[in-house]
Amino acid sequence: SLPAKLINGGIAGLIGVTCVFPIDLAKTRLQNQQNGQRMYSSLSDCLIKTIRSEGYFGMYRGAAVNLTLVTPEKAIKLAANDFFRHHLSKDGKKLTLLREMLAGCGAGTCQVIVTTPMEMLKIQLQDAGRIEAQKKLMAAQAQLSSSPAAAAEPAVERRPTATQITRELLRSKGIAGLYKGLGATLLRDVPFSIVYFPLFANLNKLGQKDPNVKAPFYVSFLSGCVAGSTAAVAVNPCDVIKTRLQSLQRGVNEDTYSGILDCTKKIWQREGPTAFFKGAYCRALVIAPLFGIAQVVYFVGIAEFLLDLLPKRRA
């Protein structure tokens, strides 16, 4: 049932995000740093420096936004894929690969309604610590210089909350402000779903002894991990572009971008093609368990179990 699908998708998203959010924060910071302004050398270096400067809960900056919006996002994604698969199948026959990809395309297109503002807000909160750390580093370097004026330490700005960012964007740019980077989000999420859903479905089928019986939970988990990490790495260049375009604040001497083509051109010319795969292994580490957990919860059917208890209680 649709309510069960939505509940399952929501529970899956909440569990998954809680487990992998620190890695996602590191991914955002690694993708946003540009040549000459590198604060972090690797995933572990980023997490260690974040804990030292911002404390343990600094790794969860922006998690509240994700935890709030991931329920409708994952619910829409998983339920939409099922919806399109159902309507693209002919008399219950097995879907062709092309139709599976079309179903994934439909799911990826639907989810950006929630994904774009969620990512927009999350990125500002996740990257605020990097910007602040860079300013402190520049101030420390200035203190070592001979200029007395340069030795003055700049005032530390208060980090904005998700509510403040939302209000400011709505006031200055309207609803379009929350949907900045929509094109780049579509460019990432549609190909991701086109790769992920068919790959997961076919891997999951390998563990089914009977077509009418669900695969064991560990098969769904491993299938979600493999399909998720594969799709994540495949679309990482689009994720780098999306992250750069959605960042409202820049570090010292960092580039600004006017659109997808401008961003692609500047990254290629100034940072080289390898820059498009910044944070790729972080993204794979985030997506693999996130979708593995999501598919286990979704296919095991926790919601069906909970909904089945309701009539028994009344009885």
Side-chain angles (χ1 to χ4, degrees):
S1 65
L2 182 60
K5 289 177 182 178
L6 296 178
I7 293 170
N8 277 334
I11 294 172
L14 289 172
I15 296 171
V17 166
T18 303
C19 293
V20 302
F21 192 84
I23 305 174
D24 186 62
L25 179 137
K27 186 260 323 174
T28 298
R29 293 188 178 185
L30 288 170
Q31 286 183 339
N32 260 338
Q33 65 180 5
Q34 299 179 20
N35 287 350
Q37 302 294 336
R38 292 172 63 86
M39 293 293 302
Y40 316 107
S41 60
S42 64
L43 167 63
S44 58
D45 181 55
C46 181
L47 293 178
I48 290 169
K49 287 180 178 176
T50 299
I51 293 173
R52 285 176 179 172
S53 61
E54 303 169 54
Y56 175 79
F57 290 105
M59 295 191 298
Y60 282 88
R61 285 280 300 175
V65 174
N66 249 36
L67 290 172
T68 302
L69 296 179
V70 75
T71 297
E73 189 255 352
K74 282 288 176 289
I76 290 171
K77 187 186 189 83
L78 296 171
N81 181 65
D82 274 3
F83 173 82
F84 287 115
R85 287 179 70 89
H86 173 73
H87 285 277
L88 286 170
S89 62
K90 293 182 178 179
D91 302 323
K93 292 181 180 178
K94 181 181 176 181
L95 284 173
T96 62
L97 179 60
L98 177 60
R99 287 176 181 267
E100 287 183 331
M101 293 171 71
L102 286 173
C105 178
T109 304
C110 290
Q111 78 171 81
V112 297
I113 298 169
V114 177
T115 303
T116 306
M118 179 180 76
E119 292 274 317
M120 179 70 181
L121 295 172
K122 182 194 72 171
I123 285 170
Q124 314 318 313
L125 298 171
Q126 285 183 329
D127 205 38
R130 183 186 71 90
I131 301 295
E132 184 179 315
Q134 190 186 82
K135 287 180 178 178
K136 287 180 178 178
L137 180 62
M138 296 293 288
Q141 291 174 347
Q143 286 180 349
L144 297 176
S145 69
S146 57
S147 172
E153 193 168 332
V156 179
E157 300 176 8
R158 285 189 64 185
R159 294 183 191 175
T161 65
T163 304
Q164 290 170 340
I165 295 171
T166 302
R167 285 176 180 170
E168 178 59 28
L169 286 171
L170 290 174
R171 185 190 63 79
S172 60
K173 299 181 180 179
I175 193 68
L178 289 173
Y179 281 86
K180 182 181 180 182
L182 174 62
T185 306
L186 278 167
L187 198 63
R188 180 197 69 173
D189 288 350
V190 172
F192 177 92
S193 295
I194 288 174
V195 174
Y196 172 77
F197 282 111
L199 182 56
F200 169 79
N202 286 284
L203 289 173
N204 199 52
K205 283 176 186 176
L206 297 176
Q208 290 180 278
K209 295 181 180 179
D210 188 321
N212 298 317
V213 179
K214 290 181 180 178
F217 77 92
Y218 62 87
V219 173
S220 293
F221 176 76
L222 291 174
S223 299
C225 287
V226 173
S229 57
T230 302
V233 173
V235 302
N236 196 75
C238 301
D239 189 57
V240 171
I241 294 168
K242 181 201 71 68
T243 300
R244 296 279 182 96
L245 288 174
Q246 288 187 321
S247 297
L248 298 177
Q249 291 190 349
R250 303 288 177 189
V252 180
N253 300 323
E254 289 185 343
D255 291 327
T256 56
Y257 311 103
S258 60
I260 294 173
L261 292 177
D262 180 57
C263 182
T264 305
K265 182 180 177 181
K266 285 180 178 177
I267 292 174
W268 183 277
Q269 290 178 342
R270 300 176 187 180
E271 301 175 60
T274 56
F276 289 105
F277 287 93
K278 282 184 176 180
Y281 64 98
C282 294
R283 184 162 161 76
L285 288 175
V286 169
I287 296 296
L290 182 62
F291 277 83
I293 293 167
Q295 293 295 1
V296 168
V297 173
Y298 194 67
F299 277 85
V300 167
I302 289 177
E304 288 88 340
F305 173 73
L306 294 175
L307 292 172
D308 284 344
L309 291 178
L310 296 177
K312 292 178 183 178
R313 285 188 170 228
R314 286 198 294 267

